[in-house]
Amino acid sequence: MGCCSSASSAAQSSKREWKPLEDRSCTDIPWLLLFILFCIGMGFICGFSVATGAAARLVSGYDSYGNICGQKNAKLEAIPNSGMDHTHRKYVFFLDPCNLDLINRKIKSVALCVTACPRQELKTLSDVQKFAEINGSALCSYNLKPSEYTTSSKASVLCPKLPVPASAPIPFFHRCAPVNISCYAKFAEALITFVSDNSVLHRLISGVMTSKEIILGLCLLSLVLSMILMVIIRYISRVLVWILTILVILGSLGGTGVLWWLYAKQRKSPKETVIPEQLQIAEDNLRALLIYAISATVFTVLLFLIMLVMRKRVALTIALFHVAGKVFIHLPLLVFQPFWTFFALVLFWAYWIMTLLFLGTAGSAVQNDQGFVEFRVSGPLQYMWWYHVVGLIWISEFILACQQMTVAGAVVTYYFTRDKRNLPFTPILASVNRLIRYHLGTVAKGSFIITLVKIPRMILMYIHSQLKGKENACARCVLKSCICCLWCLEKCLNYLNQNAYTATAINSTNFCTSAKDAFVILVENALRVAAINTVGDFMLFLGKVLIVCSTGLAGIMLLNYQQDYTVWVLPLIIVCLFAFLVAHCFLSIYEMVVDVLFLCFAIDTKYNDGSPGREFYMDKVLMEFVENSRKAMKEAGKGGVADARELKPMLKRR
């Protein structure tokens, strides 16, 4: 099962023929057992936190004295105000809800159990007293009676900070949360340390809140555009490369022109208002437009240069794109793979976050320096959250790897089925069935390897952020170099893993054998691999750029009508990031299909030559490419020697 093997076994592996879909057996069983044990450990962490009462404390909430709201409580030794009956006090109220302690990740305020949250702002202690008399909800400390709110000298300490903001209970978690966004702006000011001018941050947050409907609409537009592009790819794959190229050129030129036009128009427009805040917003928008216009111009120039260099290296890419379009026609469920994967990730992340919150309220009651109660886990169990973080990375990578294996299995079935009428009724479900029955161990091992690279990189990134401004130039350079190297290694392993899953889907071999076999094939076709990954990935990147540019252009036109009271920067960045992520999720499936088809094509041309008994599995479009390649090799002496050298490894025969 190990990755290291003797020279003789390696030689035998290199001579072994590929036998697509002939034999099927379980692979990497020990790794599947290890993964199952790890998941049981994750379940133990959740069970431990629930068993220690964390679930009740998290959902119902608790006050600063260890009492859970909405129920009777047992007396805690040596802790005053504990053991109170809060059956009718179901909500947690913070005396100073906007006082956030970032270091300890909690609200630095006294918490009380109250009957109702104040829905209206309370400006004076008289208002607080009146609220207690009408609603029966005392917002001051338990030691102070409502009749003493306006007379006691301790009221300024034991009562909430004035004015008390209007608040509403958080659904399912029974905490009174302020409804005014100014409080959240203070949170953001504490979290974002690179903004020296807090007024800028206030304007940014105000812009996001004012434009929230436009942001949601543009995010929905990016989702629709991505799905439309996936449908279009199915039917115009042969000319997709040229269409995307033309559209991106037109889009980049149009977007750049519109940005410069808006910049010139806004710069020349008279400033009729004299309100300082509106003048500042107008200046921010003008500066943002200038930055966008310059960036778009540089991007357009670079785009033209790259296209000029790559224009002649698209023959095999176009053929593979055409076959990939046929794959989506025969396997329409591939389009929905991002939805299932995203849904699985969301479910797991929700579980992970919930368990993390449980861990934050688990443990035994301990009195802190202020005399209030905190719940802490002692002993070795206090390091459970490290295990929980590793679980986040490994299981997330496992879910993504399952998607890669599913797509690879379906495409392999399509490619190596000579008569497409004999395809399974649902190749995707057949691939999922094979994954669950035979190859979960391989997926677990591949995802664990990625986890081993991700964890050190994340640790180094954390160290770098903590030492920012403190380390010397040499240490900073070493840290950044290590982070960069680990990032490159992670990308290379991701690509090798994907091809290893394809090899496993073909031959049902374990992870290391599959990775080695796939690596040999890729090395034999190194030049063509470089061309496919350069041209093909670039074309799909153009599709992502097209969606981002279209969404961003729509956002510019819509936000232009709110330029007097909305800062564009943050809303537009949010929309463009979301559009890119959505486009990436959809087009990454197409990228996977092309990569799997290429590996299948390379294997097909290595072991078959079209003669009787060694017929090709490939589509006739790829056969035409092979014939054209052979003609190009024969004419190598007449010119085009460089292109012939690239084609030669692909046509190697046994």
Side-chain angles (χ1 to χ4, degrees):
M1 294 293 178
C3 287
C4 300
S5 58
S6 63
S8 60
S9 63
Q12 291 174 1
S13 175
S14 62
K15 295 178 181 178
R16 176 174 50 78
E17 292 226 7
W18 293 69
K19 298 179 180 179
L21 306 174
E22 291 186 10
D23 300 317
R24 193 61 52 183
S25 58
C26 295
T27 55
D28 296 299
I29 297 177
W31 282 93
L32 175 59
L33 297 176
L34 178 63
F35 182 74
I36 292 174
L37 290 176
F38 184 87
C39 291
I40 292 174
M42 292 281 290
F44 167 78
I45 292 176
C46 181
F48 168 80
S49 59
V50 172
T52 54
R57 286 193 288 269
L58 177 66
V59 176
S60 300
Y62 61 96
D63 62 15
S64 296
Y65 309 101
N67 300 301
I68 299 176
C69 299
Q71 68 178 49
K72 293 182 178 180
N73 296 274
K75 177 70 176 178
L76 299 176
E77 186 177 355
I79 296 179
N81 292 327
S82 64
M84 299 183 69
D85 184 359
H86 287 322
T87 305
H88 301 291
R89 299 172 179 173
K90 299 181 179 180
Y91 302 102
V92 180
F93 176 77
F94 298 97
L95 299 189
D96 188 4
C98 293
N99 189 4
L100 185 67
D101 185 357
L102 293 178
I103 298 177
N104 297 314
R105 301 179 299 279
K106 63 182 181 181
I107 296 176
K108 194 175 180 180
S109 168
V110 176
L112 303 173
C113 292
V114 298
T115 305
C117 302
R119 298 300 183 114
Q120 303 293 331
E121 184 181 58
L122 307 178
K123 298 181 179 180
T124 64
L125 288 176
S126 298
D127 294 337
V128 176
Q129 185 181 47
K130 185 177 180 181
F131 178 80
E133 294 172 350
I134 295 175
N135 298 278
S137 184
L139 303 183
C140 295
S141 178
Y142 303 136
N143 299 327
L144 195 65
K145 297 179 180 180
S147 58
E148 300 175 345
Y149 286 1
T150 56
T151 58
S152 175
S153 59
K154 298 180 179 180
S156 59
V157 178
L158 301 179
C159 288
K161 182 179 178 182
L162 298 174
V164 180
S167 60
I170 300 175
F172 307 110
F173 289 99
H174 302 91
R175 268 79 167 178
C176 296
V179 297
N180 194 332
I181 64 170
S182 63
C183 188
Y184 303 121
K186 293 179 181 178
F187 286 171
E189 288 169 12
L191 290 169
I192 304 174
T193 58
F194 61 83
V195 178
S196 57
D197 184 5
N198 288 340
S199 63
V200 174
L201 185 59
H202 275 289
R203 292 198 300 273
L204 291 175
I205 295 175
S206 176
V208 173
M209 298 303 296
T210 305
S211 309
K212 56 182 179 296
E213 293 84 4
I214 294 178
I215 292 174
L216 290 175
L218 291 171
C219 291
L220 181 60
L221 175 64
S222 66
L223 180 63
V224 173
L225 289 176
S226 299
M227 296 187 69
I228 291 175
L229 184 59
M230 287 293 292
V231 174
I232 292 175
I233 286 175
R234 290 176 50 183
Y235 297 103
I236 61 169
S237 54
R238 186 183 289 273
V239 293
L240 174 67
V241 174
W242 307 118
I243 290 177
L244 280 178
T245 301
I246 294 172
L247 287 177
V248 169
I249 289 175
L250 294 177
S252 59
L253 286 174
T256 303
V258 168
L259 285 170
W260 282 113
W261 174 73
L262 288 174
Y263 172 73
K265 179 183 176 182
Q266 191 165 335
R267 186 178 182 182
K268 292 180 180 179
S269 62
K271 305 296 188 299
E272 298 177 356
T273 179
V274 294
I275 302 176
E277 184 177 354
Q278 291 187 358
L279 284 174
Q280 185 62 46
I281 290 176
E283 291 177 3
D284 291 341
N285 287 333
L286 186 64
R287 191 181 303 112
L289 272 176
L290 178 61
I291 295 173
Y292 291 155
I294 294 174
S295 302
T297 304
V298 174
F299 174 79
T300 302
V301 172
L302 292 176
L303 198 62
F304 275 123
L305 293 176
I306 293 173
M307 289 180 175
L308 188 65
V309 173
M310 294 180 146
R311 70 188 188 281
K312 294 183 178 179
R313 307 180 67 185
V314 296
L316 180 56
T317 304
I318 292 175
L320 288 174
F321 270 50
H322 180 70
V323 178
K326 290 186 176 181
V327 170
F328 278 95
I329 292 174
H330 285 87
L331 284 66
L333 290 180
L334 278 177
V335 178
F336 299 101
Q337 282 303 301
F339 287 108
W340 313 135
T341 304
F342 179 74
F343 181 68
L345 285 173
V346 167
L347 286 180
F348 169 67
W349 291 340
Y351 161 81
W352 189 87
I353 292 173
M354 188 62 65
T355 304
L356 186 67
L357 294 175
F358 285 161
L359 286 175
T361 55
S364 304
V366 179
Q367 192 172 20
N368 60 20
D369 297 336
Q370 289 78 31
F372 301 129
V373 171
E374 294 180 354
F375 293 92
R376 299 174 184 172
V377 179
S378 58
L381 293 177
Q382 62 182 313
Y383 301 106
M384 286 189 298
W385 71 277
W386 281 103
Y387 188 98
H388 197 56
V389 170
V390 174
L392 171 67
I393 301 173
W394 191 4
I395 298 178
S396 296
E397 290 296 329
F398 178 84
I399 294 172
L400 294 173
C402 284
Q403 173 183 265
Q404 294 175 350
M405 179 70 85
T406 300
V407 173
V411 177
V412 164
T413 301
Y414 171 85
Y415 188 96
F416 289 107
T417 301
R418 296 187 189 276
D419 188 356
K420 306 307 179 189
R421 292 173 297 182
N422 295 330
L423 283 171
F425 178 68
T426 52
I428 291 289
L429 296 181
S431 179
V432 171
N433 179 53
R434 287 198 302 271
L435 167 65
I436 296 174
R437 289 183 61 186
Y438 301 111
H439 305 312
L440 285 178
T442 298
V443 171
K445 186 173 184 178
S447 56
F448 180 76
I449 291 174
I450 301 298
T451 303
L452 284 181
V453 180
K454 272 185 177 291
I455 292 176
R457 183 167 68 88
M458 293 176 66
I459 293 175
L460 289 178
M461 290 175 65
Y462 176 76
I463 294 174
H464 182 264
S465 65
Q466 293 298 308
L467 296 179
K468 196 170 184 178
K470 301 177 182 178
E471 79 279 19
N472 56 38
C474 181
R476 183 168 59 251
C477 180
V478 170
L479 272 175
K480 289 185 176 180
S481 299
C482 291
I483 293 171
C484 182
C485 290
L486 287 173
W487 182 85
C488 293
L489 177 61
E490 181 184 333
K491 295 301 177 183
C492 293
L493 288 176
N494 268 320
Y495 182 71
L496 183 60
N497 276 13
Q498 182 176 325
N499 286 280
Y501 299 147
T502 303
T504 298
I506 295 174
N507 272 346
S508 191
T509 49
N510 61 48
F511 177 83
C512 290
T513 302
S514 298
K516 180 172 57 180
D517 292 344
F519 182 75
V520 170
I521 293 292
L522 295 175
V523 169
E524 290 177 353
N525 301 278
L527 293 176
R528 188 52 59 184
V529 169
I532 292 296
N533 280 280
T534 303
V535 179
D537 291 355
F538 181 67
M539 289 301 108
L540 293 176
F541 172 73
L542 291 183
K544 300 172 188 177
V545 171
L546 176 62
I547 293 173
V548 173
C549 288
S550 302
T551 308
L553 185 59
I556 290 172
M557 301 306 293
L558 290 174
L559 292 171
N560 186 46
Y561 292 103
Q562 296 186 351
Q563 60 181 346
D564 292 335
Y565 56 92
T566 300
V567 177
W568 289 9
V569 181
L570 199 54
L572 202 58
I573 289 175
I574 291 173
V575 168
C576 289
L577 284 177
F578 183 84
F580 182 81
L581 290 175
V582 170
H584 175 74
C585 288
F586 279 91
L587 294 180
S588 63
I589 297 296
Y590 202 90
E591 183 180 346
M592 287 183 205
V593 172
V594 172
D595 289 339
V596 173
L597 284 174
F598 173 74
L599 187 63
C600 295
F601 173 71
I603 295 167
D604 198 9
T605 53
K606 179 176 181 179
Y607 291 101
N608 301 304
D609 57 8
S611 60
R614 297 178 63 184
E615 295 84 359
F616 286 123
Y617 288 95
M618 68 183 68
D619 189 272
K620 63 180 181 180
V621 176
L622 292 174
M623 289 184 185
E624 291 175 2
F625 171 79
V626 171
E627 293 301 323
N628 294 335
S629 301
R630 288 172 176 170
K631 291 178 183 179
M633 291 179 65
K634 290 179 182 179
E635 297 174 358
K638 301 178 183 179
V641 179
D643 289 341
R645 279 200 304 268
E646 290 185 11
L647 296 170
K648 192 172 182 180
M650 185 63 77
L651 300 173
K652 181 179 178 181
R653 300 184 187 179
R654 289 181 77 251

